[in-house]
Amino acid sequence: MKLTILKDQLSESIQHVSKAISSRTTIPILSGIKIDATPKGVMLTASDTDISIQSFIPLENDGIENVQLVQTGSVVLPAKFFMEMVRKLPSEQIEIEAGENHQTIIRSGTAEFQLVGFDPEEYPLLPQVDEEKVISMSSDLLKAMIKQTSFAVSTSETTPILTGVLWSLTENNLKLIGCDRHRLASRESQIDTPPDQVIKSVVISGKTLSELNKILPDHNSLIDIVFTETLVLFKLSNVLFYTRVLEGVYPDTSKLIPQQFQTEMVIKSKSLMDAIDRAYLLTRENKANIVKLVMNDDQTIEISSSSSDLGKVKEVLPVSSHSGNLLQISFNSKFMLDALKVIDSEFVHIGFTGPMNPIVIQPEDGTRILQLILPYRTTS
Amino acid sequence: MKLTILKDQLSESIQHVSKAISSRTTIPILSGIKIDATPKGVMLTASDTDISIQSFIPLENDGIENVQLVQTGSVVLPAKFFMEMVRKLPSEQIEIEAGENHQTIIRSGTAEFQLVGFDPEEYPLLPQVDEEKVISMSSDLLKAMIKQTSFAVSTSETTPILTGVLWSLTENNLKLIGCDRHRLASRESQIDTPPDQVIKSVVISGKTLSELNKILPDHNSLIDIVFTETLVLFKLSNVLFYTRVLEGVYPDTSKLIPQQFQTEMVIKSKSLMDAIDRAYLLTRENKANIVKLVMNDDQTIEISSSSSDLGKVKEVLPVSSHSGNLLQISFNSKFMLDALKVIDSEFVHIGFTGPMNPIVIQPEDGTRILQLILPYRTTS
């Protein structure tokens, strides 16, 4: 293998694939990035067996010559070092030459590195993906749907299936759900796909989806998503992101969501969020982060919390509409803040079915987001 | 105590004094910030006994009314919480009212906090400082001198005196020295002071000086520094920064510094720094960070390093002038980088007195900085 490549393009590709490098891998070769130089361009690959990411640098695009290929071939280089080294190289042109025993020489300006490479033959093969079930959607929508659901997944490995986000598709309606034992976040959207395309129940790690979100492009573009029994593949323009599907049966969450409310209110999102954020300050010492909400009969609510060490806070806010019984309810303020943060609507609708039952938060702008949090059962 | 104060001014003052709050204090009241409301304005005080910082907010400055004072008085509030709370308050106007048992009510917009305060009578008194020995200097020069020396102090508590920077003043010449067992950094400058003003040997913690640097204003202004037997007080416009002087005898470092060199070279700072930075990449696994410098007879030097795991690097750089014997020398690349980083000169002069003797780095622009590092004694 011998080629010259542009620093910025190489750097960006390394950054993309390095999201799949685990610092705790027990398989030495997986601490490396595989470089394949082909007549079409240079492909970088990294994997931790759960996620694999490939980034392709074409010989040329937009009239810019990214790669001057002298000889095709492959080598695997230590990821962490390779990444830092490329960033610090003095010239925009980087020459990479793999020789005997995978010894690799990297030249740039006055600098010359000789790196100990791994044998590319030993690098695990990526799975062949059967492209039977493919959906296409805009990267902006995908990003938003992931952001609005993945924060709510469980971080506990005792129920692995709940660390994932549930994906389903029927009648052009894509739905994502993340939940743990205390809260649930769901987001639905119509997408443009043949109406007989059905995805029953595919669960993808919430953490993996957050990593994917970091790679999704800043400008809106179309993403193909390929679903198989065991894998999902996200196809960006020059990046392939493979992730394993979580095994197990995702619980039926539909019964958790109240179909009608005893009490409803509409309130300005930002003023509610800021007041809860201040009340949250006093609750950080205890795990439950309990904040109390009391509805008054004058179209206001009171948000309050207290700490034996520090003191207490209360704040009265106007609601813009209210119906049903007046109630008092306590909840985890951290969960409420998380839910409010991903709703990008000036007003939110909050529905209650009594002080012991789930609280449902939805945007007033029509976006099909539903956030549910369980109240905290206090004695007072 | 009762007053209304502007949020931004209060926030800035809290940020300044909070540098003196230690998270590991064993004296509960020192986890708080003392607030004194006087007819002239509001004084905030924080201390960890080694450092004390006071920040004063006058009732009015530049035609802006900072404080509306209703009633003078004092209270001590928990620092960490107070800081976060003020930042999150909804209005620019903050009302603070200390009542019975130091219970303090804070109102801003719709929010009302009730904080548990400490008794201000129990807060330790700050020492009276006798202003006999005072020097004045520009804050920009002070900042630069601290930056150029404090990084080189020892981080080991086995020789506490070496964790400090040595200050001395004779014949209008202020000199700061930081050193540990492997390197030394010194900076001198003429300052405008009566020529009979002498400071013999005052040692101030390097860490404390770095904290001071964060508070020094961005715009250049005159700073008064008051020296006493046990304390040094830095007087900024509205901030007083007290620090304890380190006890003990600072070693005589003058004999360490070679008076003449066997070999000298002048080289572009940035290209040397970048090459060493790349070589440093390969040395991070071992503690000594060894990089080798070899002088060639064609007015070039070779910088190289190697690691058994990763490989090796070498780089040839031109020198702009050279005199004396050609030599090979190895050194800790991290120390060399630290020294080069604080020298703001296009070219540096490096002096050697053989492969086992100190390396001396000085800027070519006339600034009186001297950086010394000991070489690494290799067998090859």
Side-chain angles (χ1 to χ4, degrees), chain A residues 81 84-85 88 90 110-116 277-278 281-282 284 310-316, chain B residues 84-85 88 90 110-116 277-278 281-282 284 309-316:
Chain A
F81 179 77
E84 288 184 295
M85 185 201 64
K88 292 193 170 174
T110 47
E112 183 181 307
F113 284 86
Q114 270 185 46
L115 296 190
V116 181
D277 198 19
R278 286 186 280 271
L281 272 181
L282 278 168
R284 288 207 212 155
L310 295 165
K312 51 190 177 180
V313 57
K314 69 165 198 278
E315 192 154 351
V316 174
Chain B
E84 289 184 293
M85 184 200 66
K88 291 192 170 175
T110 48
E112 183 182 308
F113 283 87
Q114 269 184 47
L115 296 190
V116 180
D277 197 21
R278 286 186 281 272
L281 272 181
L282 278 167
R284 288 209 212 153
D309 286 353
L310 295 165
K312 52 190 175 183
V313 58
K314 70 164 196 279
E315 191 153 353
V316 174

Side-chain angles (χ1 to χ4, degrees), chain B residues 33 39 44 48 50 92 117 141 174 193 205 210-211 216 241 244 246 253-254 273 306 308 316 359 373:
Chain B
I33 291 175
L44 302 191
D48 71 354
D50 284 341
E92 279 313 304
L141 178 62
L174 180 67
T193 187
S205 152
S210 301
E211 289 299 325
L216 286 176
F241 190 104
R244 200 168 57 85
L246 295 188
T253 55
S254 62
M273 195 154 77
S306 66
S308 50
V316 174
I359 305 168
I373 66 178

Side-chain angles (χ1 to χ4, degrees), chain B residues 283-355:
Chain B
T283 70
R284 288 209 212 153
E285 274 141 52
N286 61 63
K287 260 195 180 170
N289 302 126
I290 305 161
V291 161
K292 194 172 171 185
L293 183 158
V294 176
M295 290 183 155
N296 301 321
D297 56 8
D298 60 351
Q299 293 275 60
T300 63
I301 58 167
E302 185 183 289
I303 300 290
S304 65
S305 73
S306 66
S307 136
S308 50
D309 286 353
L310 295 165
K312 52 190 175 183
V313 58
K314 70 164 196 279
E315 191 153 353
V316 174
L317 301 175
V319 296
S320 56
S321 79
H322 162 261
S323 65
N325 308 335
L326 295 175
L327 98 170
Q328 296 196 2
I329 196 163
S330 294
F331 50 84
N332 183 322
S333 50
K334 172 73 168 54
F335 290 172
M336 184 60 99
L337 286 174
D338 287 345
L340 290 169
K341 260 180 215 160
V342 298
I343 294 179
D344 190 22
S345 162
E346 197 184 348
F347 290 90
V348 282
H349 173 279
I350 306 188
F352 307 87
T353 44

Side-chain angles (χ1 to χ4, degrees), chain A residues 299-316:
Chain A
Q299 293 275 60
T300 64
I301 57 166
E302 185 184 291
I303 300 290
S304 65
S305 73
S306 66
S307 136
S308 50
D309 286 353
L310 295 165
K312 51 190 177 180
V313 57
K314 69 165 198 278
E315 192 154 351
V316 174

Side-chain angles (χ1 to χ4, degrees), chain B residues 20-22 25 27-33 46-49 76 79 118 123-124:
Chain B
I21 299 282
S22 159
T25 183
I27 309 164
I29 200 163
L30 291 187
S31 68
I33 291 175
S47 174
D48 71 354
T49 70
V76 177
F118 296 96
Y123 200 86

Side-chain angles (χ1 to χ4, degrees), chain A residues 5-14 57 61 64 66:
Chain A
I5 190 163
L6 292 184
K7 181 175 162 178
D8 290 349
Q9 276 73 343
L10 180 59
S11 228
E12 193 189 341
S13 276
I14 294 175
I57 305 163
N61 61 349
I64 295 166
N66 299 314

